[in-house]
Amino acid sequence: MPTDKIIIWESGNFLPFLLANSLQKKNNSEFYAIFDVPDKQKPFYQKQKVVDFKNIWFFQDSISEPRKKIDTKFLTSFEEKYNINLWLLALNERLFNENNEFHKFSREEILSILEDECKLFEKILEIKPKFLITSDTTLHHHELFYQMCRAMDINTIVFNKTVFG
């Protein structure tokens, strides 16, 4: 009997991670994880025995130094394949906009980062998951992965925190 493949996106709030732990106790699914966490938290996730992940990826490890040579044909075909406007995501990213006082990203740097992200996410989605478990998207790369999952008809479970006045 085929088992469901479930990917969690963990940004350090532990909710998807804890849900994966609970689900793993109740069913026979395969669990995968993308950790978008600071380097200081990596050792915990690398050594933990709470969830038996079939594979894990640390998002920040997959982004190379920006380069000048951009594969624009790849980016164009990617946008068409998933019906995602990459430049719109980049324009709405607070890290890339003019209010970032630490670094002014060039167009080439942004496209280089987007190319790395797209290639990483396509590689991850080769596992053909049935579910994505995540919290609200807060950065462009998280939103990009979410939109890719939706385009591929992957069931998405998105948690958010209720705000009380």
Side-chain angles (χ1 to χ4, degrees):
M1 183 164 107
T3 60
D4 292 334
K5 295 178 180 179
I6 301 171
I7 291 183
I8 69 160
W9 182 290
E10 178 59 61
S11 299
N13 67 7
F14 289 106
L15 187 58
F17 179 76
L18 295 173
L19 182 59
N21 173 265
S22 295
L23 288 173
Q24 196 164 57
K25 292 176 184 175
K26 297 184 186 299
N27 67 41
N28 194 26
S29 298
E30 290 180 357
F31 287 84
Y32 299 81
I34 301 170
F35 294 107
D36 186 13
V37 296
D39 285 343
K40 191 173 184 179
Q41 292 179 7
K42 279 174 59 174
F44 167 77
Y45 290 110
Q46 290 168 323
K47 295 175 186 171
Q48 65 82 28
K49 302 289 184 218
V50 178
V51 180
D52 181 22
F53 290 111
K54 187 116 171 129
N55 198 356
I56 62 173
W57 297 269
F58 288 96
F59 174 74
Q60 301 299 334
D61 292 350
S62 303
I63 307 304
S64 63
E65 287 294 317
R67 58 200 173 280
K68 293 282 185 199
K69 182 122 173 73
I70 310 300
D71 188 348
T72 54
K73 288 181 182 177
F74 167 78
L75 292 173
T76 301
S77 68
F78 179 92
E79 287 183 316
E80 291 169 0
K81 179 178 180 180
Y82 296 100
N83 195 26
I84 295 173
N85 184 333
L86 293 172
W87 200 247
L88 182 62
L89 287 174
L91 287 174
N92 287 295
E93 174 58 64
R94 67 180 183 254
L95 299 174
F96 293 153
N97 74 26
E98 66 276 357
N99 296 320
N100 182 346
E101 58 190 54
F102 302 106
H103 183 73
K104 301 297 181 211
F105 286 89
S106 70
R107 180 179 185 278
E108 288 76 23
E109 286 175 313
I110 293 169
L111 290 174
S112 174
I113 291 167
L114 288 170
E115 183 180 341
D116 285 350
E117 293 167 350
C118 294
K119 288 179 177 178
L120 168 67
F121 295 154
E122 281 197 318
K123 184 180 119 201
I124 291 171
L125 290 173
E126 286 175 359
I127 65 170
K128 299 188 181 352
K130 185 170 183 179
F131 296 97
L132 166 66
I133 299 173
T134 184
S135 55
D136 277 338
T137 63
T138 55
L139 296 170
H140 79 278
H141 56 272
H142 193 174
E143 178 67 19
L144 172 61
F145 188 73
Y146 168 77
Q147 286 185 26
M148 288 176 68
C149 288
R150 297 291 305 256
M152 295 177 66
D153 290 326
I154 296 168
N155 299 304
T156 55
I157 301 168
V158 180
F159 292 96
N160 66 8
K161 298 169 191 72
T162 304
V163 179
F164 292 101

